[in-house]
Amino acid sequence: GIDAPEYDQPYSAPSKEALKKMTAGQEGTLYIKYRDRYDRYVAVLVIDELNINQEMVKDGYGWVYRRYCNEPVCGRWEQMQAEAKANRHGLWGGKDPISPWRWKVKR
């Protein structure tokens, strides 16, 4: 239900670094939802009861991808995203961040 900047997109490196910081050297549980059309797993990662997907949105390093966010938690994630945006956290501190799905279309 979330998406992060593409490798060639602005804010990609800080987003990747934030994810590494939260997960490096730790064990967690990966809740696989399904495989997408590119054969990638779509999943939720939880480490010590911390939902990493949610934290990425809350800290401003990912977007809620409403098209694919179909769980009850998605509304709360959208609220967290709005707060991150209002407080200019992570990628929201930059000038006019573009969601990954719009970025791919522009390529």
Side-chain angles (χ1 to χ4, degrees), residues 3 28 31 33 41 53-54 61 64 71 80 91 100 103:
D3 206 352
Y31 297 96
K33 300 293 185 176
Y41 289 109
N53 302 50
Q54 178 174 295
Y61 292 110
V64 176
E71 304 287 329
M80 290 175 170
L91 58 89
W103 179 265

Side-chain angles (χ1 to χ4, degrees), residues 7-26:
Y7 70 93
D8 61 342
Q9 185 176 356
Y11 313 107
S12 175
S15 178
K16 185 177 179 179
E17 192 58 38
L19 181 60
K20 278 184 182 179
K21 197 173 190 178
M22 280 190 273
T23 61
Q26 299 189 60

Side-chain angles (χ1 to χ4, degrees), residues 1 6 8 20 28 40 42 48-49 52 66-67 72 75 106:
E6 294 292 308
D8 61 342
K20 278 184 182 179
R40 299 175 300 197
V42 175
D48 293 330
E49 299 184 28
I52 301 302
R66 197 58 176 150
R67 180 175 177 187
K106 293 176 82 173

Side-chain angles (χ1 to χ4, degrees), residues 10-11 14 60-61 84-85 87-98:
Y11 313 107
Y61 292 110
K85 189 174 184 178
N87 293 313
R88 303 185 56 79
H89 291 282
L91 58 89
W92 301 111
K95 184 180 178 219
D96 198 27
I98 299 170

Side-chain angles (χ1 to χ4, degrees), residues 53-97:
N53 302 50
Q54 178 174 295
E55 291 301 301
M56 289 293 286
V57 170
K58 186 180 84 160
D59 294 344
Y61 292 110
W63 283 262
V64 176
Y65 199 168
R66 197 58 176 150
R67 180 175 177 187
Y68 297 106
C69 200
N70 302 314
E71 304 287 329
V73 72
C74 297
R76 186 172 65 215
W77 289 0
E78 286 179 325
Q79 184 178 11
M80 290 175 170
Q81 178 175 290
E83 289 172 16
K85 189 174 184 178
N87 293 313
R88 303 185 56 79
H89 291 282
L91 58 89
W92 301 111
K95 184 180 178 219
D96 198 27

